[in-house]
Amino acid sequence: MAPTMVASAILFVSMALLINAILSSRALRALENSAMDMQSFIFLFKLTFIIFIALLLMLYSGPLLVEFTNLMNGENNSYRLLKGSLPYKYIGYILGGFVMIFGSIGLVENKFFANGAWLSIIAVAVLTFLYDVPFDNLLLPPNGDY
Amino acid sequence: MGVLDHIWLGILAVFTSSPAFTIADVPISITIVMVVLGFLGGVIVGATPGLGGPFAMAISLPILISIFGFNADALLPVFGFLVGIMKGSTIGGAVPAILFNTPGTPDSLMTTLDGYPMTQRGKSGKALRIAHFSSVSGDTFSDIILITCAPFLAIWVEQFLDFPEKAALIILSLAFIAAVVGSNVWKGLLSALLGMFFSYIGTGEDSYPRLSLGSENIGEGLPLISAVLGVLIIGEILRALEEMWRETQKNKKITRVELIGDQKLKFEDIKRIFPFISMSAFIGTVVGALPGIGSTLAATLGYATGRKVYRGKRKFGEGAMEGVAATEAANSAVAGANLIPVLSLGIPGNVSAVFIILAAESIGGFNPGPAVFRLMPDQINSEMVIAFGLFTMMIFANILNWTFGGLFMRWMGIMIKIPKQKLLPIVLLLTLTAIYVQQTNMFAVYVTLFFGLLGYLMRKFSISPLPFVIAYILANNLEESMRQAFAVTGSDPWFLFASPISIIFIVISILVVIFFARNQKDLN
């Protein structure tokens, strides 16, 4: 019952906001000067793309590397077994984290500088050290999911 | 056990439990170490434009919980670090505002008005000292009010409020927060209602979880930390990144000014600024005690009041030291008073208080609310001991602030050199990592990003995210109180109107919304 009541209240408040905008004849002006213009959508699209690629790398770099190693050495290991050992333990987080930081810096600065890449590498290394090295019980992404 | 016994146990718990190391055979407890580390970290993040206390609290909370674990012994060290950040960031925010005309935190915006002109006149050292002195004075005053008022308010609430009144009180708090935060009452209400709606996902007393759409992950409920950090931190990062992206398109550059001048704070200066500090400390404390009204409004009110009574030669806004004092005392006085509704009612009033509640909920063993100060005959109330431990840590952090804070704060001018466009992507990854290590599930990361997008859109449409977060935290308490009130009144559907106190709370809730809605109309 509580969600239904809250959803009804959301509908009521949204209608009140809409009617208020129409009555004060600000609706058209508000649409013209909307906070979400085309630039916002372009920015969101670009950033979403960067984060999407970063998360893909984070999730699948480790398992893909295991598959590649299996193929090269004729073994039959799984990522679940190897996720505690190097380099599988860190590869997803480091690659995904690097793309997230370097991509976001490049997007905002409109250029991809070498110092941005170095900073991203250092930042990911520091974060890996901060979370993983001192604590045995913490799992970096995506190792808890496997 | 009496109140004094609990106070003494609280002090002992802070200073003697779990020694981290010894100095000249004197054991130094881990809690004290955490307050010091939090304080230093708070000054650093406060002085870093684009960051602030909430960022540091958000990032450090999962790490702290991982270090100290999920047991009652973890509460004081974790709270100590959060209190340290809270105290440190309030003074740190003034540094970039005074030196570089760039407020480190939103509530330091008014500090730029007189602080930066003082820097331009070569008085930056004096401006920083005034900011520090005023900030710490306001904070100390606010803490004294917290320590003396919160227990009595809690006892009053516990004595006079039953379930219907408690439900009505939560409704009043939510209505007040929705009405006073942000530019529009309806938008505030929308924000609070959205927070309530999302908090109901995966909950309920039915045999199946509510609103789960058949998903097992959603059925377990959305992680509280993902919702809070998503809306508050990721949403803000997305907004700030877009702002900088737009600036880069226009080739705008941040202007920089050389740091010059260094003058001491003299006794005559203190005499001049003291009336302004007193007024602002009072304003900040009153504003801080009301849920939802943040330090930015306190700073604005303190500054505006100071300007009205000021009769000096140099006008406010042209580098008057009284202007810096009025702003800094007001925004810092909010910090302590903001914990009054948390500790006495269990209602978080601002972002820092949200993180105290988040830490308490994550660790367990401490439920902020009126029951904290309940005295039990021949028994120790461990929650009251922790509450007095919290007060002790706040006093200790204030002592740090008075002694080393000023010096450390003046060193932090260097933080302005860290470019925001490089820092925020790192904070983005740091926040997502912090959430993952606590939840160990990519679903929590996706939920955080979803709430981040929601927080970004709310900011774009001038909808404050604070009512959302507070309603998200309180929604289940409200539902629980309502269920219990319904049961104790014998299934009376009008239980909210069953007693004079709950009627008064409901009437005030309606009046608050109408008053601020009308006021908004006038402003328009």
Side-chain angles (χ1 to χ4, degrees):
Chain A
M1 191 177 171
T4 314
M5 287 174 70
V6 171
S8 310
I10 290 173
L11 180 68
F12 172 74
V13 171
S14 307
M15 293 301 288
L17 274 168
L18 183 70
I19 292 166
N20 187 35
I22 292 169
L23 286 181
S24 56
S25 65
R26 282 181 291 143
L28 279 175
R29 245 185 308 150
L31 272 179
E32 281 165 13
N33 306 318
S34 173
M36 284 299 290
D37 56 9
M38 189 47 81
Q39 290 283 83
S40 299
F41 284 109
I42 292 170
F43 168 79
L44 264 187
F45 177 76
K46 288 181 174 177
L47 190 67
T48 306
F49 180 72
I50 290 166
I51 293 176
F52 178 71
I53 297 294
L55 291 178
L56 270 185
L57 282 169
M58 204 176 269
L59 266 173
Y60 297 113
S61 298
L64 279 177
L65 184 65
V66 172
E67 289 301 320
F68 181 71
T69 317
N70 284 344
L71 207 68
M72 297 297 284
N73 300 340
E75 292 166 349
N76 192 23
N77 289 318
S78 70
Y79 181 70
R80 194 181 175 81
L81 282 174
L82 296 173
K83 69 177 185 183
S85 57
L86 287 169
Y88 309 104
K89 191 177 181 183
Y90 299 124
I91 187 160
Y93 183 72
I94 288 176
L95 282 179
F98 173 79
V99 168
M100 194 179 288
I101 297 177
F102 183 55
S104 306
I105 293 173
L107 171 68
V108 172
E109 292 187 335
N110 217 14
K111 274 176 194 165
F112 290 92
F113 292 110
N115 66 359
W118 281 115
L119 181 78
S120 308
I121 292 168
I122 293 165
V124 176
V126 168
L127 289 184
T128 309
F129 180 82
L130 179 74
Y131 281 106
D132 194 63
V133 176
F135 311 113
D136 292 334
N137 56 337
L138 295 190
L139 288 172
L140 284 172
N143 295 339
D145 285 73
Y146 287 94
Chain B
M1 298 288 272
V3 175
L4 286 177
D5 299 309
H6 284 89
I7 293 174
W8 180 238
L9 285 172
I11 295 169
L12 283 181
V14 169
F15 285 100
T16 60
S17 65
S18 313
F21 54 87
T22 55
I23 297 177
D25 287 339
V26 178
I28 307 295
S29 81
I30 188 70
T31 306
I32 290 298
V33 175
M34 295 313 288
V35 177
V36 174
L37 291 177
F39 177 75
L40 298 179
V43 180
I44 293 170
V45 293
T48 310
L51 292 186
F55 272 95
M57 287 177 164
I59 293 158
S60 57
L61 189 56
I63 304 176
L64 292 170
I65 292 172
S66 305
I67 297 171
F68 294 104
F70 294 90
N71 57 65
D73 292 340
L75 280 167
L76 282 177
V78 172
F79 282 166
F81 195 83
L82 297 180
V83 163
I85 289 176
M86 199 165 77
K87 299 282 183 192
S89 61
T90 52
I91 62 165
V95 178
I98 289 170
L99 297 182
F100 306 100
N101 207 20
T102 308
T105 49
D107 42 283
S108 300
L109 184 68
M110 306 299 284
T111 310
T112 59
L113 299 179
D114 286 284
Y116 187 61
M118 283 184 80
T119 296
Q120 286 176 314
R121 287 191 291 118
K123 301 274 185 190
S124 60
K126 180 170 265 190
L128 284 174
R129 283 181 170 87
I130 285 169
H132 173 252
F133 182 81
S134 314
S135 179
V136 186
S137 303
D139 196 9
T140 307
F141 176 76
S142 173
D143 284 355
I144 292 167
I145 300 295
L146 164 74
I147 294 165
T148 48
C149 283
F152 294 107
L153 186 59
I155 291 165
W156 182 82
V157 168
E158 192 68 354
Q159 272 181 348
F160 294 101
L161 305 192
D162 207 348
F163 290 115
E165 290 86 357
K166 280 178 185 163
L169 182 63
I170 296 176
I171 292 172
L172 170 61
S173 308
L174 288 176
F176 191 78
I177 291 162
V180 299
V181 174
S183 57
N184 187 310
V185 176
W186 295 106
K187 287 182 178 180
L189 283 173
L190 184 64
S191 176
L193 289 166
L194 283 171
M196 290 175 81
F197 183 79
F198 281 109
S199 82
Y200 289 139
I201 292 176
T203 60
E205 297 197 339
D206 299 317
S207 54
Y208 56 90
R210 290 190 297 211
L211 305 167
S212 62
L213 303 170
S215 159
E216 205 174 297
N217 278 324
I218 299 175
E220 287 170 14
L222 305 178
L224 175 64
I225 193 163
S226 295
V228 173
L229 300 196
V231 170
L232 287 180
I233 307 295
I234 305 291
E236 178 58 25
I237 290 174
L238 297 185
R239 189 206 59 78
L241 285 177
E242 189 201 337
E243 196 176 277
M244 286 182 291
W245 176 72
R246 283 176 185 261
E247 276 183 22
T248 321
Q249 311 274 320
K250 291 177 193 164
N251 287 326
K252 268 192 192 173
K253 280 183 181 174
I254 299 168
T255 45
R256 290 190 176 171
V257 176
E258 289 298 310
L259 171 60
I260 47 168
D262 184 18
Q263 292 173 36
K264 298 226 184 284
L265 182 65
K266 295 171 189 154
F267 184 66
E268 298 88 72
D269 298 327
I270 295 174
K271 268 198 338 196
R272 265 177 67 185
I273 60 175
F274 192 74
F276 296 87
I277 293 175
S278 310
M279 269 187 307
S280 288
F282 179 74
I283 291 168
T285 304
V286 172
V287 168
L290 299 169
I293 312 184
S295 44
T296 310
L297 181 68
T300 313
L301 283 177
Y303 187 82
T305 314
R307 189 167 56 184
K308 265 191 182 166
V309 298
Y310 179 66
R311 296 284 176 268
K313 274 187 215 161
R314 193 182 297 280
K315 287 181 184 164
F316 262 45
E318 292 178 1
M321 67 169 89
E322 290 83 352
V324 176
T327 311
E328 281 301 312
N331 68 28
S332 299
V334 171
N338 254 317
L339 293 184
I340 294 176
V342 178
L343 291 175
S344 54
L345 310 172
I347 295 168
N350 74 341
V351 180
S352 302
V354 164
F355 283 104
I356 296 277
I357 293 228
L358 203 58
E361 291 234 350
S362 304
I363 297 168
F366 184 71
N367 298 303
V372 165
F373 294 99
R374 188 187 292 155
L375 280 172
M376 293 179 278
D378 303 325
Q379 250 186 317
I380 297 170
N381 178 354
S382 58
E383 290 190 307
M384 203 197 292
V385 173
I386 289 166
F388 283 116
L390 188 67
F391 294 158
T392 308
M393 291 186 290
M394 293 178 88
I395 294 167
F396 179 72
N398 270 340
I399 293 169
L400 280 181
N401 227 339
W402 279 109
T403 47
F404 305 107
L407 185 66
F408 193 62
M409 173 190 172
R410 288 191 289 280
W411 290 346
M412 286 302 112
I414 197 167
M415 296 310 290
I416 190 78
K417 290 182 180 163
I418 296 177
K420 206 171 154 184
Q421 70 273 22
K422 291 190 169 70
L423 189 65
L424 287 183
I426 298 172
V427 177
L428 173 68
L429 179 65
L430 185 54
T431 310
L432 294 179
T433 312
I435 284 164
Y436 188 88
V437 297
Q438 194 172 327
Q439 302 289 326
T440 55
N441 191 342
M442 282 305 272
F443 176 72
V445 173
Y446 306 144
V447 172
T448 310
L449 289 170
F450 168 78
F451 278 111
L453 182 65
L454 185 68
Y456 163 84
L457 290 173
M458 287 169 82
R459 283 169 175 84
K460 292 294 281 185
F461 291 103
S462 309
I463 300 173
S464 170
L466 191 63
F468 178 96
V469 172
I470 293 173
Y472 193 94
I473 291 172
L474 291 180
N476 287 308
N477 288 350
L478 176 63
E479 194 185 0
E480 190 59 30
S481 298
M482 283 187 148
R483 278 182 194 282
Q484 285 169 329
F486 187 65
V488 297
T489 53
S491 305
D492 176 11
W494 300 101
F495 62 86
L496 280 176
F497 303 95
S499 80
I501 295 177
S502 61
I503 291 172
I504 290 170
F505 285 159
I506 294 294
V507 169
I508 296 174
S509 309
I510 296 165
L511 288 179
V512 161
V513 172
I514 293 171
F515 173 77
F516 282 97
R518 281 176 67 90
N519 214 19
Q520 182 65 40
K521 217 174 177 181
D522 294 344
L523 285 172
N524 284 338

